[in-house]
Amino acid sequence: MTGKPAENDPRLCAIEYWLRHDIGFNYQSIESASSDASFRRYFRVVAGNKTSIIMDAPPQQEDIRPFVTIAGLLATAGIHVPTIVHQSKDQGFLLISDLGQDCYLDSLDGNTAETLYRDAMEVLVQMQTRVNIENVGLPIYGEPLLRSELKIFREWFLEKMLRIKIEPATESLLDQVWTVLIKSALLQPQVFVHRDYHSRNLMVVPVNNPGVLDFQDAVIGPVTYDVVSLLRDCYISWPEEKVTEWLSEYRHILKDEGLEIEVGDDCFQKWFDLMGLQRHLKATGIFSRLSLRDGKIDYLKDIPRTLKYIEEVCSRYQELKAFQRLLQDIVVPRFERSADSI
């Protein structure tokens, strides 16, 4: 795409008109940058020797106001987030600074992981200790939201993708597991939660690394949520001994920043494990929904990783053994058969 409108894309035509006529932003070219698991799209705009990003968030499905509000909170706390240059709340357009094209997922390997994860954990703790969460209206990541997210796994993965009929005994089992996970989450210290703090949303930047994206769904919630998103990433996995080592390092950074959590290592590990189980159940449901509802079938390739995380956590705790048997006997075999047919 250059300066010519794409006539088969009314939203892009509107973006081009907004740039040139409403805000007087002259540019040479506009190209697709990325999309995500929502209705948002991103375009990279070239103007002279500088690039910027357009966020396209259709107002019928998305609201740019949380992004704008939370960007301000994070920037005030010293987090490297995009600068908002222009905005049109009515149309759902944002012109923001470009943090580059080098995301963590593309940059992580055996040589870079130690440094990149150290940076990411330090910035995470900065968010948790320096973002002022008082009187800003962030949603509470309490029982209603946690339970509604777990329903995504049941509805979109078990029922719609695998076509499993939920019998009363299974219903009771799921409810028991959900109760265990929710209780664990609510016992934890409640802090700022990015809610999608993983390798696709962290950018490798030369100063104040990492650049942080996709924070518009932030909430006030459990302290382990973002660190498990980072270390048990839905898109890249690491040996468990390395995850344990990084988790210990994260606790030391928390303590250094004044957020010492007065529980033993075993308790903190269980919080981390159960929070990850909740997240990966939700992610499995979301990946299924993206495939079935939105035609984004590429997300199916990430389900084996999330299922592996789920099984590994269930194997460690007696109260999850029955759920592990359900996974091993019915859920995973049925998913593997369905995956073979795609």
Side-chain angles (χ1 to χ4, degrees), residues 169-290:
T170 304
E171 178 92 46
S172 176
L173 174 60
L174 294 178
D175 189 61
Q176 291 171 30
V177 174
W178 294 179
T179 299
V180 168
L181 299 184
I182 292 167
K183 181 179 178 181
S184 175
L186 297 182
L187 283 173
Q188 299 180 35
Q190 304 293 293
V191 297
F192 177 93
V193 175
H194 177 291
R195 211 165 159 210
D196 234 357
Y197 197 76
H198 58 68
S199 59
R200 285 187 171 179
N201 291 331
L202 300 176
M203 306 303 293
V204 180
V205 292
V207 178
N208 197 11
N209 186 65
V212 180
L213 303 175
D214 208 22
F215 41 74
Q216 62 279 334
D217 294 323
V219 293
I220 299 171
V223 68
T224 61
Y225 190 92
D226 282 339
V227 73
V228 82
S229 302
L230 178 70
L231 300 182
R232 289 199 183 131
D233 194 321
C234 293
Y235 307 106
I236 185 171
S237 56
W238 300 94
E240 192 56 30
E241 59 271 19
K242 180 55 66 177
V243 172
T244 302
E245 179 184 317
W246 284 328
L247 184 62
S248 177
E249 185 177 358
Y250 164 75
R251 285 202 73 179
H252 284 298
I253 300 171
L254 276 176
K255 185 176 179 180
D256 290 344
E257 288 291 323
L259 187 56
E260 186 168 4
I261 300 173
E262 301 293 341
V263 297
D265 289 343
D266 288 347
C267 178
F268 193 80
Q269 180 70 51
K270 188 170 185 178
W271 282 355
F272 176 83
D273 286 341
L274 297 187
M275 196 75 258
L277 178 54
Q278 187 273 347
R279 175 168 171 78
H280 294 125
L281 289 166
K282 175 182 74 170
T284 302
I286 289 174
F287 293 156
S288 303
R289 185 173 66 189
L290 286 166

Side-chain angles (χ1 to χ4, degrees), residues 26-44:
N26 294 315
Y27 63 93
Q28 285 77 54
S29 65
I30 179 169
E31 298 287 346
S32 176
S34 67
S35 60
D36 59 23
S38 71
F39 292 96
R40 291 181 295 271
R41 298 184 299 172
Y42 301 87
F43 296 91
R44 180 166 280 107

Side-chain angles (χ1 to χ4, degrees), residues 8 23 48 64 88 98-99 115 131 167 249 255 264 295 305 326:
N8 60 344
I23 65 175
I64 65 171
S88 173
D98 188 358
L99 299 189
T115 297
V131 173
E167 304 289 351
E249 185 177 358
K255 185 176 179 180
R305 183 179 295 106
L326 173 68

Side-chain angles (χ1 to χ4, degrees), residues 35-39 287 290-292 294-300:
S35 60
D36 59 23
S38 71
F39 292 96
F287 293 156
L290 286 166
S291 173
L292 295 171
D294 304 331
K296 298 180 179 182
I297 62 172
D298 284 351
Y299 283 96
L300 292 178

Side-chain angles (χ1 to χ4, degrees), residues 152-170:
I152 300 172
F153 174 81
R154 170 186 166 149
E155 178 183 356
W156 286 94
F157 184 61
L158 297 183
E159 295 183 312
K160 292 188 176 180
M161 174 162 281
L162 301 187
R163 301 184 182 279
I164 292 174
K165 183 179 180 181
I166 307 299
E167 304 289 351
T170 304

